[in-house]
Amino acid sequence: MTGGRLRLVGAALAAVLAGCAPAPTGGHDAPTESASPVRPPEDICADLVSYWVKEALKGSSWAGLDWEQKGLSNEQYEIHDEVLAAARAEERRAGRGSASAFADREARRRCEEARGATGSSENWRS
């Protein structure tokens, strides 16, 4: 890798790892509020699934990314596909706004039901 690309990869990795760092647990230097609260997997799943379903409904060029590029687990991608099919039916019936609201509700329901749907198996779908 060239030096510039290596620095870019290093910066990206540092940003990812910073988002994964545990919150301080106390002590004299700890802030009074956590700068990055830990979010439950159900919330992350619902946000990811509903975001990508709405991108697909809009016809975004980013919607064509695969499940790994979208940051989805295999289980989340399965939920995505099912919610997207139902949201497209809702869009035909009641319009884009209704389909977007449906995607939010259904992604939330399905992700809570699956406890965040974090399970993956290597190369499950390509």
Side-chain angles (χ1 to χ4, degrees), residues 42-78:
E42 295 83 359
D43 289 352
I44 295 167
C45 173
D47 288 350
L48 283 169
V49 170
S50 66
Y51 173 81
W52 287 114
V53 167
K54 290 186 272 188
E55 285 297 299
L57 291 172
K58 291 190 298 189
S60 164
S61 61
W62 294 105
L65 298 174
D66 70 24
W67 60 276
E68 288 177 301
Q69 292 168 319
K70 290 177 179 177
L72 300 172
S73 72
N74 298 132
E75 284 185 283
Q76 290 164 352
Y77 192 59
E78 185 173 355

